[in-house]
Amino acid sequence: FAEQPVKGYELRLEGPRPADAERLHARLRRGEPAVLTRIQAGVLRVDLRSLREEDLAVVAERIVSLIRQGGRTP
């Protein structure tokens, strides 16, 4: 029954250009800790069901930090 959606929450991030999602996706996967994301229709998606509650703040800080850095490499 893989066609039926599983209830949960996800974070969706969309930038002004499609390449923004790809760039953020790659940087989140390479960082420490790695954050697994997926892209669907140009929107970066983070499945929050896969995170422990104590990891949410760390992931949020990584995302905000990378967004503030923009296109610059770390």
Side-chain angles (χ1 to χ4, degrees), residues 11 28 33-35 46 48 51 55-64:
L11 174 65
L28 284 168
V35 179
V46 181
L48 300 178
L51 298 173
D55 295 333
L56 290 174
V58 174
V59 170
E61 288 173 18
R62 290 262 342 276
I63 290 170
V64 169

Side-chain angles (χ1 to χ4, degrees), residues 5-70:
V6 177
K7 291 185 180 182
Y9 296 97
E10 80 177 359
L11 174 65
R12 297 177 187 178
L13 299 167
E14 185 173 3
R17 297 173 303 274
D20 295 335
E22 292 287 345
R23 186 178 305 112
L24 185 56
H25 171 74
R27 294 179 73 198
L28 284 168
R29 291 186 68 134
R30 287 192 311 255
E32 186 62 41
V35 179
L36 301 179
T37 64
R38 65 186 173 93
I39 297 176
Q40 184 178 4
V43 177
L44 182 80
R45 297 165 184 256
V46 181
D47 184 352
L48 300 178
R49 290 176 298 138
S50 62
L51 298 173
R52 297 177 307 196
E53 188 171 335
E54 57 267 21
D55 295 333
L56 290 174
V58 174
V59 170
E61 288 173 18
R62 290 262 342 276
I63 290 170
V64 169
S65 175
L66 289 174
I67 288 171
R68 286 184 177 153
Q69 291 175 17

